[in-house]
Amino acid sequence: MNELQPYIHNLLNDTLTSLPLFKPELYISILFLLVLVTDLIFGKQSDWVCRILACAGLLFILTADLVQYATFRTQAPLLLFNNNLLLHHTATIQKLILDGLAFLLLLYLPWDENLKAHPKGLGDVYTIIIASLLGMHLMVMSATWLTIFLSVEMVSIASYLLVAYRSENAFSAEASLKYVLFGLASSAVMLYGISLIYGFTGTIELFDPLFVRNLLQVNPLSVGFALVLILAGLGFKLSFVPLHFWVPDVYQGAATPVTAYLSTLPKIAAFGLLINFLTPFISSTDWNVLDFRLAISAVAIVTLIAGNFAAIWQQNIKRMLAYSSIGHTGFALMAIVTFSAQGVTALNFYLLVYAIANLGALALVSFFANAVQAHTLHDYRGLGIKYPVASVSFVILLISLTGLPVSAGFNGKLLVFSAVYAVYQQNHSIILMLLLVTGAVTTVVSLFYYLKIPLNLFLKKPEDHQEGTIINKSLVTFCIVAAFVVLLLGIFPDYLGKFL
């Protein structure tokens, strides 16, 4: 027992030193408990109370994030809690993005009439999203295999609950079941890969100097197999090809705000985790087992092609946006393969502007579903004349998602292209040139399906639409603001770029 005392003493000291740097996560935990208890006390009448409490709490958490951001803008990365978490500048930026988007999502939730009409109310949804936010914070800071798996599972369980929350029809129930089964399978695959890597290295710490050194002593085929299994588990969260098969059905079957959640928050957190996962291998000059640049570039090319071309044939709006989300994943992977600070900055900018535009677009999907029960391209015919403000906002957001000039999406894609081209100039890699060409071609292809929506809104003959519930002015205002933001960041990208 005596020989353990110094170890325990050092462990406690490290924990106490780490706690002040863990404030945002502690605040999220407290907010989760407060919203949970409030929901239990007020029951079905708790929706508005939980919403106010959750939004106010997130503003408080954003303040703590800003303090961390200001600190780590110049400070070197720090390992916390006995090397289990890594706090650095990129992580603080991604936490700010995640918490800001979560705040917008909580505002949007009750404006979707289908979700609002759920007999259980929305108190549970607020609680689940806040709990998942803690998991996402841990994902972008994970520095050991233990924290990687636990954080991914925290977010996965929350996602399963949200997708299954609305299961009033057979398609929604089937989509939620498919998501859970595939999610469990991907978790098992990733855990098996983690167990192999731990067996090979004898350490769970990604940034342990022995980690890569010990891997290099193992048979390359075995190491490569284990790493592919881990990437497959992460790929399920990122929804890149060939692990994208769950996306169309789940995005279509889930409530629209849940689709907005799945296509933004967990994806951003997964990219943050992918950066941490790749860093030890990229930093090692001796690593030669698996060419991550080649592997991820090949995945990005296939994902760009499959996502964008499949979206062309879709008639359901949510299903179309699901395939486009897969295409955007491929584009974000382009920034990852640069393995450079410029690439990480481009990635953060791209993910933020994509998330704002996608969240606004899906909010407008809710608007048209609320107003006239419109769910397909055919249903959108002539609605541009009837709802001009919402329709013009939709067009602006789609322009940003496409990446056309004078939009934030254009600047995001330009930053990604610039980062990839800068690396190509250094090594003249053929795979990077193929990546650039594929990104440019698929951006043009995306025009063919994104423009179908304004085509039907403004140029097709109006249909006799079924009247829906009410026109939510708050939802329209939310979408107008989102459209204004993507235009503002398109004209003045430096307003955001200098902070990334």
Side-chain angles (χ1 to χ4, degrees):
M1 183 66 183
N2 289 334
E3 62 266 17
L4 292 177
Q5 285 182 356
Y7 174 77
I8 295 172
H9 177 73
N10 292 335
L11 191 61
L12 288 173
N13 280 341
D14 185 69
T15 301
L16 292 173
T17 305
S18 301
L19 279 175
L21 297 169
F22 201 61
K23 282 183 180 178
E25 292 70 35
L26 292 175
Y27 294 158
I28 292 174
S29 303
I30 294 169
L31 181 61
F32 165 71
L33 294 174
L34 287 174
V35 176
L36 178 63
V37 172
T38 302
D39 185 37
L40 291 173
I41 292 173
F42 289 92
K44 293 182 180 179
Q45 307 303 316
S46 68
D47 289 6
W48 67 274
V49 183
C50 289
R51 186 189 188 206
I52 292 172
L53 181 60
C55 289
L58 275 175
L59 289 176
F60 188 72
I61 292 162
L62 279 166
T63 304
D65 290 336
L66 283 170
V67 173
Q68 275 196 352
Y69 166 80
T71 302
F72 280 87
R73 197 170 186 186
T74 55
Q75 187 171 323
L78 284 179
L79 286 164
L80 310 178
F81 298 109
N82 198 30
N83 301 334
N84 276 284
L85 299 175
L86 178 67
L87 188 56
H88 49 89
H89 178 58
T90 301
T92 60
I93 292 173
Q94 289 168 343
K95 289 197 289 183
L96 272 169
I97 293 172
L98 290 168
D99 294 341
L101 291 173
F103 176 79
L104 296 177
L105 187 66
L106 293 182
L107 289 178
Y108 163 38
L109 280 171
W111 296 333
D112 184 86
E113 295 297 325
N114 289 332
L115 186 61
K116 185 180 178 181
H118 195 286
K120 289 178 65 179
L122 295 178
D124 290 341
V125 178
Y126 297 123
T127 308
I128 294 167
I129 289 176
I130 292 169
S132 73
L133 202 57
L134 175 60
M136 291 179 218
H137 274 228
L138 297 178
M139 282 176 72
V140 301
M141 295 192 297
S142 290
T144 66
W145 296 118
L146 179 62
T147 50
I148 285 175
F149 184 74
L150 290 178
S151 60
V152 168
E153 286 309 293
M154 284 180 67
V155 178
S156 296
I157 292 170
S159 301
Y160 302 153
L161 293 172
L162 289 172
V163 171
Y165 198 78
R166 194 196 76 172
S167 55
E168 68 275 8
N169 60 64
F171 186 81
S172 296
E174 179 187 347
S176 61
L177 180 61
K178 180 183 294 185
Y179 185 46
V180 171
L181 291 176
F182 286 142
L184 292 175
S186 70
S187 296
V189 167
M190 184 172 69
L191 185 59
Y192 182 49
I194 289 173
S195 67
L196 288 175
I197 293 295
Y198 174 66
F200 296 153
T201 61
T203 179
I204 63 170
E205 297 178 19
L206 285 174
F207 299 94
D208 187 332
L210 294 175
F211 173 65
V212 173
R213 194 182 310 162
N214 288 347
L215 276 183
L216 291 171
Q217 307 303 315
V218 183
N219 183 287
L221 286 176
S222 301
V223 175
F225 176 69
L227 292 174
V228 167
L229 292 180
I230 295 170
L231 285 172
L234 294 178
F236 181 83
K237 279 293 165 203
L238 291 169
S239 65
F240 59 59
V241 176
L243 298 155
H244 68 294
F245 39 79
W246 60 275
V247 172
D249 288 347
V250 172
Y251 280 26
Q252 183 182 348
T256 306
V258 174
T259 301
Y261 165 87
L262 292 173
S263 62
T264 53
L265 293 170
K267 187 170 288 191
I268 293 170
F271 273 110
L273 177 54
L274 183 60
I275 291 172
N276 287 350
F277 167 73
L278 292 172
T279 299
F281 303 104
I282 298 165
S283 303
S284 173
T285 55
D286 298 325
W287 178 256
N288 58 5
V289 175
L290 178 63
D291 188 340
F292 283 104
R293 174 168 287 160
L294 176 62
I296 296 175
S297 295
V299 168
I301 290 171
V302 176
T303 302
L304 282 164
I305 294 170
N308 285 288
F309 277 92
I312 294 175
W313 314 110
Q314 306 308 313
Q315 294 299 311
N316 183 277
I317 301 297
K318 286 171 67 177
R319 200 171 183 87
M320 178 190 295
L321 291 175
Y323 278 109
S324 81
S325 175
I326 295 169
H328 283 286
T329 296
F331 210 94
L333 286 172
M334 289 176 61
I336 289 286
V337 299
T338 61
F339 302 152
S340 65
Q342 183 184 357
V344 172
T345 301
L347 175 69
N348 288 332
F349 187 96
Y350 184 81
L351 288 176
L352 177 57
V353 298
Y354 157 73
I356 293 172
N358 201 56
L359 190 59
L362 285 165
L364 283 163
V365 172
S366 287
F367 170 80
F368 287 114
N370 292 346
V372 292
Q373 297 298 307
H375 301 286
T376 65
L377 287 170
H378 186 272
D379 296 336
Y380 277 45
R381 291 187 172 190
L383 291 180
I385 309 301
K386 193 173 183 179
Y387 306 107
V389 176
S391 298
V392 170
S393 299
F394 210 162
V395 173
I396 293 171
L397 293 168
L398 291 173
I399 285 172
S400 183
L401 287 171
T402 307
L404 295 180
V406 200
S407 71
F410 172 77
N411 291 324
K413 290 196 172 185
L414 184 62
L415 284 173
V416 173
F417 277 125
S418 299
V420 176
Y421 185 69
V423 177
Y424 171 75
Q425 284 186 309
Q426 295 171 11
N427 58 23
H428 298 285
S429 170
I430 294 176
I431 192 69
L432 290 181
M433 177 53 69
L434 289 173
L435 200 55
L436 288 167
V437 172
T438 306
V441 170
T442 52
T443 296
V444 175
V445 170
S446 68
L447 280 169
F448 287 92
Y449 58 86
Y450 281 132
L451 290 181
K452 284 183 180 180
I453 296 177
L455 174 68
N456 281 276
L457 284 172
F458 293 104
L459 300 179
K460 293 291 185 178
K461 183 179 178 181
E463 299 285 332
D464 293 329
H465 295 102
Q466 175 187 351
E467 290 298 328
T469 52
I470 57 173
I471 304 304
N472 192 317
K473 293 182 180 179
S474 299
L475 183 55
V476 177
T477 304
F478 178 85
C479 299
I480 292 171
V481 171
F484 174 76
V485 169
V486 298
L487 282 179
L488 181 67
L489 294 177
I491 300 170
F492 305 106
D494 286 345
Y495 283 176
L496 178 63
K498 63 183 178 182
F499 295 107
L500 301 177

